[in-house]
Amino acid sequence: MYVCLCHGVTDREIREAADSGVSSMRQLGKELGVGTQCGRCACSARQILRESRTPD
Ligand code: FES
């Protein structure tokens, strides 16, 4: 499912980014562009990021 339409980023890609160490929206924006254009995806992207983060 596409989360960020502006950059064509899926929830899966966000999870993969989280797995490889991306832990903030800032980093996610830098890596994938998520949330850097219209910002509409920020809310769901943040949630996916939070859910996929492995607790330490
Ligand atoms: Fe992600 Fe627009 S949908 S920046």
Side-chain angles (χ1 to χ4, degrees):
M1 163 192 95
Y2 280 110
V3 174
C4 179
L5 288 178
C6 295
H7 297 279
V9 178
T10 62
D11 56 337
R12 195 200 166 111
E13 287 174 282
I14 295 177
R15 290 204 180 92
E16 279 168 6
D19 280 347
S20 56
V22 171
S23 58
S24 67
M25 282 303 290
R26 219 169 117 137
Q27 266 179 298
L28 198 62
K30 233 160 102 178
E31 295 287 324
L32 301 175
V34 172
T36 58
Q37 211 160 321
C38 74
R40 255 184 299 213
C41 57
C43 218
S44 21
R46 188 177 294 120
Q47 202 173 337
I48 295 167
L49 199 60
R50 203 185 299 138
E51 282 167 3
S52 49
R53 204 149 45 192
T54 39
D56 39 30

